[in-house]
Amino acid sequence: MSYPTIRYSLADVVKCNGKNGARTWIVVHDNIYDVTDYMQQHPGGPEIIDEYAGKDATSGFDEFRHSSDATKILKKYLIGELKDVSIN
């Protein structure tokens, strides 16, 4: 059985920047991840994730050339997809 994918706008993501008690969401390859509960476990420290909180972290994620294990870990925090905001 498949479940519908939850889609969020970039404005929704921006609100989840980890400040003032907000959750910490990041976008990687148009997928949205709630990494709030992972930040303290991140091998590079929470500051690295905090830099991308509420933003598209794709370039940073790709730059660091994360391992396949890191990609598997990230999948555990998947909460939805970025809405298509392009105008046709």
Side-chain angles (χ1 to χ4, degrees):
M1 174 178 220
S2 66
Y3 296 96
T5 301
I6 298 173
R7 298 182 195 282
Y8 297 96
S9 69
L10 194 53
D12 294 325
V13 175
V14 168
K15 293 176 192 173
C16 295
N17 61 6
K19 292 178 177 43
N20 300 316
R23 305 286 297 172
T24 302
W25 291 5
I26 60 171
V27 177
V28 178
H29 298 289
D30 294 329
N31 290 309
I32 300 172
Y33 301 90
D34 182 344
V35 294
T36 307
D37 299 330
Y38 178 71
M39 290 183 67
Q40 295 301 321
Q41 301 167 31
H42 187 266
E47 301 82 14
I48 292 174
I49 295 176
D50 194 46
E51 181 181 332
Y52 294 99
K55 302 175 187 171
D56 190 327
T58 302
S59 63
F61 188 84
D62 289 348
E63 258 180 45
F64 285 104
R65 299 180 191 223
H66 285 84
S67 67
S68 59
D69 287 341
T71 303
K72 286 178 192 173
I73 290 169
L74 187 62
K75 285 182 183 180
K76 293 187 335 187
Y77 299 97
L78 178 66
I79 59 166
E81 291 180 350
L82 195 60
K83 284 182 184 177
D84 183 11
V85 292
S86 64
I87 299 172
N88 294 328

PDB file of all heavy atoms in Angstrom, residues 64-81:
ATOM      1  N   PHE A  64      30.172  17.599   0.564  1.00  0.00           N
ATOM      2  CA  PHE A  64      30.854  16.775   1.555  1.00  0.00           C
ATOM      3  C   PHE A  64      30.943  15.315   1.141  1.00  0.00           C
ATOM      4  O   PHE A  64      31.544  14.511   1.841  1.00  0.00           O
ATOM      5  CB  PHE A  64      30.178  16.896   2.923  1.00  0.00           C
ATOM      6  CG  PHE A  64      30.477  18.200   3.601  1.00  0.00           C
ATOM      7  CD1 PHE A  64      29.527  19.202   3.646  1.00  0.00           C
ATOM      8  CD2 PHE A  64      31.718  18.435   4.170  1.00  0.00           C
ATOM      9  CE1 PHE A  64      29.795  20.415   4.263  1.00  0.00           C
ATOM     10  CE2 PHE A  64      31.998  19.636   4.798  1.00  0.00           C
ATOM     11  CZ  PHE A  64      31.033  20.631   4.842  1.00  0.00           C
ATOM     12  N   ARG A  65      30.340  14.999   0.010  1.00  0.00           N
ATOM     13  CA  ARG A  65      30.386  13.631  -0.534  1.00  0.00           C
ATOM     14  C   ARG A  65      30.062  12.592   0.532  1.00  0.00           C
ATOM     15  O   ARG A  65      30.871  11.723   0.863  1.00  0.00           O
ATOM     16  CB  ARG A  65      31.739  13.351  -1.176  1.00  0.00           C
ATOM     17  CG  ARG A  65      32.014  14.299  -2.317  1.00  0.00           C
ATOM     18  CD  ARG A  65      33.338  14.023  -2.954  1.00  0.00           C
ATOM     19  NE  ARG A  65      33.651  15.111  -3.856  1.00  0.00           N
ATOM     20  CZ  ARG A  65      34.155  14.927  -5.048  1.00  0.00           C
ATOM     21  NH1 ARG A  65      34.423  13.730  -5.481  1.00  0.00           N
ATOM     22  NH2 ARG A  65      34.406  15.952  -5.810  1.00  0.00           N
ATOM     23  N   HIS A  66      28.863  12.710   1.083  1.00  0.00           N
ATOM     24  CA  HIS A  66      28.420  11.800   2.129  1.00  0.00           C
ATOM     25  C   HIS A  66      28.407  10.352   1.633  1.00  0.00           C
ATOM     26  O   HIS A  66      28.144  10.085   0.470  1.00  0.00           O
ATOM     27  CB  HIS A  66      27.021  12.186   2.610  1.00  0.00           C
ATOM     28  CG  HIS A  66      27.019  13.397   3.479  1.00  0.00           C
ATOM     29  ND1 HIS A  66      27.004  14.675   2.978  1.00  0.00           N
ATOM     30  CD2 HIS A  66      27.035  13.517   4.825  1.00  0.00           C
ATOM     31  CE1 HIS A  66      27.002  15.531   3.978  1.00  0.00           C
ATOM     32  NE2 HIS A  66      27.024  14.857   5.107  1.00  0.00           N
ATOM     33  N   SER A  67      28.662   9.447   2.532  1.00  0.00           N
ATOM     34  CA  SER A  67      28.689   8.013   2.224  1.00  0.00           C
ATOM     35  C   SER A  67      27.276   7.490   1.989  1.00  0.00           C
ATOM     36  O   SER A  67      26.287   8.165   2.297  1.00  0.00           O
ATOM     37  CB  SER A  67      29.310   7.250   3.388  1.00  0.00           C
ATOM     38  OG  SER A  67      28.465   7.319   4.521  1.00  0.00           O
ATOM     39  N   SER A  68      27.187   6.267   1.503  1.00  0.00           N
ATOM     40  CA  SER A  68      25.871   5.649   1.323  1.00  0.00           C
ATOM     41  C   SER A  68      25.212   5.431   2.690  1.00  0.00           C
ATOM     42  O   SER A  68      23.992   5.485   2.805  1.00  0.00           O
ATOM     43  CB  SER A  68      25.984   4.329   0.559  1.00  0.00           C
ATOM     44  OG  SER A  68      26.809   3.424   1.248  1.00  0.00           O
ATOM     45  N   ASP A  69      26.016   5.209   3.734  1.00  0.00           N
ATOM     46  CA  ASP A  69      25.461   5.082   5.084  1.00  0.00           C
ATOM     47  C   ASP A  69      24.800   6.382   5.518  1.00  0.00           C
ATOM     48  O   ASP A  69      23.735   6.380   6.127  1.00  0.00           O
ATOM     49  CB  ASP A  69      26.547   4.696   6.092  1.00  0.00           C
ATOM     50  CG  ASP A  69      26.985   3.243   5.953  1.00  0.00           C
ATOM     51  OD1 ASP A  69      26.233   2.442   5.348  1.00  0.00           O
ATOM     52  OD2 ASP A  69      28.076   2.914   6.451  1.00  0.00           O
ATOM     53  N   ALA A  70      25.436   7.511   5.219  1.00  0.00           N
ATOM     54  CA  ALA A  70      24.862   8.813   5.562  1.00  0.00           C
ATOM     55  C   ALA A  70      23.545   9.021   4.832  1.00  0.00           C
ATOM     56  O   ALA A  70      22.583   9.549   5.400  1.00  0.00           O
ATOM     57  CB  ALA A  70      25.844   9.926   5.228  1.00  0.00           C
ATOM     58  N   THR A  71      23.478   8.613   3.593  1.00  0.00           N
ATOM     59  CA  THR A  71      22.247   8.739   2.812  1.00  0.00           C
ATOM     60  C   THR A  71      21.146   7.875   3.417  1.00  0.00           C
ATOM     61  O   THR A  71      19.990   8.297   3.494  1.00  0.00           O
ATOM     62  CB  THR A  71      22.503   8.356   1.340  1.00  0.00           C
ATOM     63  OG1 THR A  71      23.545   9.202   0.828  1.00  0.00           O
ATOM     64  CG2 THR A  71      21.264   8.530   0.495  1.00  0.00           C
ATOM     65  N   LYS A  72      21.499   6.684   3.878  1.00  0.00           N
ATOM     66  CA  LYS A  72      20.511   5.802   4.528  1.00  0.00           C
ATOM     67  C   LYS A  72      20.005   6.435   5.820  1.00  0.00           C
ATOM     68  O   LYS A  72      18.816   6.381   6.115  1.00  0.00           O
ATOM     69  CB  LYS A  72      21.127   4.438   4.828  1.00  0.00           C
ATOM     70  CG  LYS A  72      21.322   3.570   3.618  1.00  0.00           C
ATOM     71  CD  LYS A  72      21.982   2.262   3.998  1.00  0.00           C
ATOM     72  CE  LYS A  72      22.433   1.521   2.758  1.00  0.00           C
ATOM     73  NZ  LYS A  72      23.218   0.325   3.090  1.00  0.00           N
ATOM     74  N   ILE A  73      20.898   7.020   6.590  1.00  0.00           N
ATOM     75  CA  ILE A  73      20.503   7.683   7.830  1.00  0.00           C
ATOM     76  C   ILE A  73      19.551   8.835   7.519  1.00  0.00           C
ATOM     77  O   ILE A  73      18.521   9.001   8.170  1.00  0.00           O
ATOM     78  CB  ILE A  73      21.737   8.184   8.615  1.00  0.00           C
ATOM     79  CG1 ILE A  73      22.515   6.999   9.172  1.00  0.00           C
ATOM     80  CG2 ILE A  73      21.326   9.138   9.734  1.00  0.00           C
ATOM     81  CD1 ILE A  73      23.885   7.354   9.726  1.00  0.00           C
ATOM     82  N   LEU A  74      19.882   9.619   6.511  1.00  0.00           N
ATOM     83  CA  LEU A  74      19.054  10.761   6.138  1.00  0.00           C
ATOM     84  C   LEU A  74      17.635  10.323   5.795  1.00  0.00           C
ATOM     85  O   LEU A  74      16.664  10.984   6.179  1.00  0.00           O
ATOM     86  CB  LEU A  74      19.694  11.513   4.964  1.00  0.00           C
ATOM     87  CG  LEU A  74      19.042  12.820   4.551  1.00  0.00           C
ATOM     88  CD1 LEU A  74      19.089  13.836   5.690  1.00  0.00           C
ATOM     89  CD2 LEU A  74      19.726  13.378   3.313  1.00  0.00           C
ATOM     90  N   LYS A  75      17.497   9.199   5.123  1.00  0.00           N
ATOM     91  CA  LYS A  75      16.174   8.708   4.715  1.00  0.00           C
ATOM     92  C   LYS A  75      15.250   8.491   5.908  1.00  0.00           C
ATOM     93  O   LYS A  75      14.036   8.609   5.782  1.00  0.00           O
ATOM     94  CB  LYS A  75      16.304   7.422   3.904  1.00  0.00           C
ATOM     95  CG  LYS A  75      16.796   7.651   2.505  1.00  0.00           C
ATOM     96  CD  LYS A  75      16.873   6.362   1.720  1.00  0.00           C
ATOM     97  CE  LYS A  75      17.447   6.622   0.337  1.00  0.00           C
ATOM     98  NZ  LYS A  75      17.536   5.395  -0.462  1.00  0.00           N
ATOM     99  N   LYS A  76      15.816   8.188   7.070  1.00  0.00           N
ATOM    100  CA  LYS A  76      14.995   7.975   8.269  1.00  0.00           C
ATOM    101  C   LYS A  76      14.275   9.248   8.696  1.00  0.00           C
ATOM    102  O   LYS A  76      13.277   9.192   9.397  1.00  0.00           O
ATOM    103  CB  LYS A  76      15.858   7.480   9.433  1.00  0.00           C
ATOM    104  CG  LYS A  76      16.427   6.112   9.223  1.00  0.00           C
ATOM    105  CD  LYS A  76      17.155   5.504  10.401  1.00  0.00           C
ATOM    106  CE  LYS A  76      17.744   6.401  11.416  1.00  0.00           C
ATOM    107  NZ  LYS A  76      18.566   5.728  12.419  1.00  0.00           N
ATOM    108  N   TYR A  77      14.771  10.393   8.263  1.00  0.00           N
ATOM    109  CA  TYR A  77      14.217  11.670   8.677  1.00  0.00           C
ATOM    110  C   TYR A  77      13.360  12.340   7.607  1.00  0.00           C
ATOM    111  O   TYR A  77      12.927  13.473   7.769  1.00  0.00           O
ATOM    112  CB  TYR A  77      15.359  12.601   9.125  1.00  0.00           C
ATOM    113  CG  TYR A  77      16.093  12.005  10.305  1.00  0.00           C
ATOM    114  CD1 TYR A  77      17.274  11.282  10.124  1.00  0.00           C
ATOM    115  CD2 TYR A  77      15.580  12.111  11.589  1.00  0.00           C
ATOM    116  CE1 TYR A  77      17.929  10.704  11.201  1.00  0.00           C
ATOM    117  CE2 TYR A  77      16.231  11.533  12.672  1.00  0.00           C
ATOM    118  CZ  TYR A  77      17.397  10.831  12.472  1.00  0.00           C
ATOM    119  OH  TYR A  77      18.031  10.246  13.549  1.00  0.00           O
ATOM    120  N   LEU A  78      13.096  11.615   6.515  1.00  0.00           N
ATOM    121  CA  LEU A  78      12.290  12.139   5.414  1.00  0.00           C
ATOM    122  C   LEU A  78      10.856  12.388   5.881  1.00  0.00           C
ATOM    123  O   LEU A  78      10.226  11.517   6.468  1.00  0.00           O
ATOM    124  CB  LEU A  78      12.281  11.136   4.252  1.00  0.00           C
ATOM    125  CG  LEU A  78      11.452  11.504   3.033  1.00  0.00           C
ATOM    126  CD1 LEU A  78      12.042  12.722   2.337  1.00  0.00           C
ATOM    127  CD2 LEU A  78      11.379  10.328   2.071  1.00  0.00           C
ATOM    128  N   ILE A  79      10.359  13.605   5.628  1.00  0.00           N
ATOM    129  CA  ILE A  79       8.973  13.925   6.008  1.00  0.00           C
ATOM    130  C   ILE A  79       8.122  14.362   4.819  1.00  0.00           C
ATOM    131  O   ILE A  79       6.907  14.452   4.933  1.00  0.00           O
ATOM    132  CB  ILE A  79       8.923  15.004   7.109  1.00  0.00           C
ATOM    133  CG1 ILE A  79       9.590  16.290   6.655  1.00  0.00           C
ATOM    134  CG2 ILE A  79       9.529  14.477   8.408  1.00  0.00           C
ATOM    135  CD1 ILE A  79       9.296  17.478   7.544  1.00  0.00           C
ATOM    136  N   GLY A  80       8.749  14.647   3.679  1.00  0.00           N
ATOM    137  CA  GLY A  80       7.964  15.070   2.523  1.00  0.00           C
ATOM    138  C   GLY A  80       8.825  15.547   1.379  1.00  0.00           C
ATOM    139  O   GLY A  80      10.041  15.357   1.376  1.00  0.00           O
ATOM    140  N   GLU A  81       8.163  16.140   0.416  1.00  0.00           N
ATOM    141  CA  GLU A  81       8.830  16.673  -0.778  1.00  0.00           C
ATOM    142  C   GLU A  81       8.559  18.160  -0.896  1.00  0.00           C
ATOM    143  O   GLU A  81       7.537  18.654  -0.421  1.00  0.00           O
ATOM    144  CB  GLU A  81       8.297  16.001  -2.046  1.00  0.00           C
ATOM    145  CG  GLU A  81       8.663  14.572  -2.201  1.00  0.00           C
ATOM    146  CD  GLU A  81       8.092  13.992  -3.500  1.00  0.00           C
ATOM    147  OE1 GLU A  81       7.268  14.656  -4.170  1.00  0.00           O
ATOM    148  OE2 GLU A  81       8.471  12.873  -3.818  1.00  0.00           O
TER     149      GLU A  81
END
